[in-house]
Amino acid sequence: MISVFELFKVGIGPSSSHTVGPMAAAAAFADRLAEAGLIGRTVRVEVALFGSLAWTGKGHGTDKAVILGLAGERPQTVDPDRADSIVATVATERSLRLGDRQPIRFDPKLDILFDGIADTPKHPNTLAFRAFDAAGTLLVEERWCSIGGGFVVPEADVGQPVRADDAVLPFPFRNARDLLAMADGAGLSIADLVVANEHARRSCAEVTAHLDRIVEVMMGCVDRGISTVGELPGGLAVRRRAKAIRDRLTSRNAPTPHEVMDWVSLYAIAVNEENAAGGRVVTAPTNGAAGVVPATLRYYRDHCPGAARAGMHLFLLTATAIGALFKMNASISGAEVGCQGEVGVACSMAAGGLAAALGASNAQIENAAEIGMEHHLGMTCDPIGGLVQVPCIERNAFGAISAVNAASLALHGDGTHIVSLDKVIVTMRETGRDMASKYKETSLGGLAVNLPEC
């Protein structure tokens, strides 16, 4: 099962699969060297990036992430304000402390290879690490895959069942049909079912503290985004817009009929501008889609009568169940299924979460989640310049608006609908499989190559 601790992770921008994942893989490689007693013999490390990591890695900060991970930094604890200086020091001194333990030679220009030609047989986000001793002898080589949402696994484990822990879960659902049957059979809401599974692994206090932490980071990210100005890094000269939008909204003499849509868009744009700048965000379920859930959650908090902290927890727990269904049965990796797996999944999660917080039945929640994804089917991932900026920032705003609309439509019904959530998940997976690879986070198609003509 996919836990709320796994689906909602604190990290840094701009990408969960291209930044958070590679950083985690690099840190894991350094840890494994230490566990094998080889870190003291290591004097040099080479890193090779393949597939989507090679094609869009520079724009997504993959090289930066690898350096940070090898130096012992972790996505959940690295200071975003210090990250650039750490990387700059490594580049200047051409050395780093491997795992924050062993000084080694490391020249990013020579020791990080962007290989966009070699095959990636298991996953399009593949990277390899090689450690050498003073004689130039290869000590160990490992290949890892960043499979979306910050999840990383050794290449040999891609597609294999996740190794289970010792916990016996009371509700081991694998699809939406089982989820609804188990919840209804036990007289539980979807959120209560998720809580029961979480408590099989962790204490009530731990789960509550994590939910509070996720809410805190999400709302803090919105607040930073709506108060910060300047140009985003990367070379596209994209200027932050969130603060200017907020200033215009708060200076209006009277609200407009569609003003709530402006606020929801503002919240999403604020988060994704922070993400594009490498700031602290919550992977929800990815960084490229990091604005959808927080924007919808902020809409609930600030614009829905009766909103409370308990409702925000209910929102996130319900969203966890929905995100887990996509992770287990399809993908949340843009490099694997396109942006339908990122913004589309985030919209589905946010729609179900909002519906739950507003009092929906389990059937209405499933309906909201299905609506959220159904109308993102086939969405490509074609970031201009390999940067998580255009069209990604605005796309999150549209995803959040769609989530609110999907929840509203579901609440107007009784949960009865034609296409089930399970069917739309299968369709999303098959659509992603059939999608041309150039539209799956390579920046080799779509808007990424047609910008000069626009």
Side-chain angles (χ1 to χ4, degrees):
M1 301 304 298
I2 308 298
S3 167
V4 67
F5 288 78
E6 297 168 316
L7 201 62
F8 291 112
K9 297 186 288 290
V10 176
I12 64 170
S15 172
S16 51
S17 59
H18 289 57
T19 311
V20 175
M23 190 189 307
F29 177 69
D31 288 343
R32 286 155 74 108
L33 284 174
E35 292 165 3
L38 296 174
I39 198 165
R41 294 174 55 192
T42 302
V43 300
R44 188 168 65 86
V45 170
E46 289 183 350
V47 184
L49 307 174
F50 305 105
S52 181
L53 295 182
W55 294 320
T56 64
K58 291 184 178 178
H60 285 56
T62 306
D63 47 352
K64 169 183 171 180
V66 165
I67 293 169
L68 291 170
L70 289 175
E73 298 288 348
R74 316 282 169 160
Q76 64 271 28
T77 56
V78 62
D79 182 353
D81 295 328
R82 290 187 57 246
D84 286 338
S85 65
I86 294 172
V87 173
T89 299
V90 170
T92 299
E93 298 182 356
R94 298 178 185 175
S95 66
L96 58 75
R97 286 181 57 83
L98 184 61
D100 199 26
R101 301 176 180 90
Q102 169 76 3
I104 64 168
R105 301 194 305 272
F106 192 84
D107 184 345
K109 293 182 178 180
L110 299 177
D111 295 323
I112 300 179
L113 171 66
F114 291 83
D115 184 347
I117 299 175
D119 289 336
T120 54
K122 290 296 190 74
H123 195 279
N125 293 333
T126 300
L127 62 167
F129 301 92
R130 305 175 77 198
F132 300 87
D133 65 13
T137 302
L138 177 66
L139 295 174
V140 64
E141 178 176 6
E142 292 185 355
R143 290 171 64 91
W144 289 73
C145 294
S146 179
I147 60 175
F151 291 84
V152 293
V153 294
E155 185 181 46
D157 292 344
V158 173
Q160 299 300 313
V162 177
R163 295 183 181 91
D165 55 27
D166 294 330
V168 177
L169 302 182
F171 302 105
F173 65 90
R174 295 293 301 179
N175 53 55
R177 181 190 60 201
D178 291 347
L179 172 64
L180 291 176
M182 289 178 184
D184 292 344
L188 298 174
S189 69
I190 290 174
D192 287 337
L193 182 148
V194 173
V195 166
N197 281 346
E198 295 292 345
H199 287 171
R201 291 169 166 159
R202 298 177 175 87
S203 69
C204 178
E206 288 178 292
V207 175
T208 299
H210 181 70
L211 292 170
D212 283 337
R213 172 64 173 156
I214 294 305
V215 169
E216 175 191 11
V217 175
M218 284 183 172
M219 297 303 102
C221 190
V222 173
D223 292 336
R224 287 194 309 275
I226 62 178
S227 61
T228 306
V229 297
E231 186 176 292
L232 296 174
L236 286 182
V238 174
R239 297 196 64 79
R240 289 177 179 252
R241 292 180 289 170
K243 184 178 185 302
I245 295 172
R246 192 278 307 268
D247 290 346
R248 283 193 292 273
L249 287 173
T250 55
S251 66
R252 285 177 178 169
N253 294 325
T256 63
H258 61 272
E259 183 167 297
V260 70
M261 294 173 59
D262 293 336
W263 282 104
V264 175
S265 295
L266 165 65
Y267 303 145
I269 288 170
V271 171
N272 282 85
E273 287 178 349
E274 279 294 298
N275 178 65
R280 174 74 67 210
V281 298
V282 174
T283 300
T286 69
N287 283 27
V292 177
V293 170
T296 312
L297 190 63
R298 184 72 164 234
Y299 162 78
Y300 166 74
R301 192 196 79 172
D302 291 359
H303 301 274
C304 294
R309 178 55 63 101
M312 299 178 83
H313 287 187
L314 183 69
F315 183 120
L316 293 175
L317 290 165
T318 305
T320 296
I322 296 164
L325 292 173
F326 282 98
K327 183 73 176 71
M328 290 188 292
N329 298 299
S331 175
I332 58 172
S333 169
E336 198 168 19
V337 295
C339 199
Q340 59 174 356
E342 299 203 28
V343 169
V345 173
C347 177
S348 184
M349 292 167 60
L354 178 61
L358 295 178
S361 67
N362 290 340
Q364 289 172 316
I365 290 167
E366 188 261 357
N367 188 13
E370 185 278 327
I371 294 170
M373 171 51 72
E374 182 178 336
H375 304 291
H376 283 87
L377 289 173
M379 180 175 280
T380 61
C381 182
D382 51 355
I384 294 174
L387 299 166
V388 192
Q389 297 178 19
V390 182
C392 316
I393 295 172
E394 288 181 354
R395 185 167 288 175
N396 274 257
F398 278 81
I401 292 291
S402 295
V404 175
N405 193 32
S408 180
L409 286 172
L411 285 164
H412 280 297
D414 62 1
T416 303
H417 55 111
I418 301 297
V419 180
S420 70
L421 179 56
D422 285 330
K423 291 295 185 183
V424 86
I425 290 174
V426 170
T427 304
M428 188 270 269
R429 184 184 67 221
E430 293 176 347
T431 303
R433 181 191 61 202
D434 295 339
M435 189 182 294
S437 61
K438 68 180 181 180
Y439 297 119
K440 293 189 280 189
E441 206 166 2
T442 63
S443 289
L444 298 177
L447 287 175
V449 298
N450 288 320
L451 177 64
E453 301 176 12
C454 296

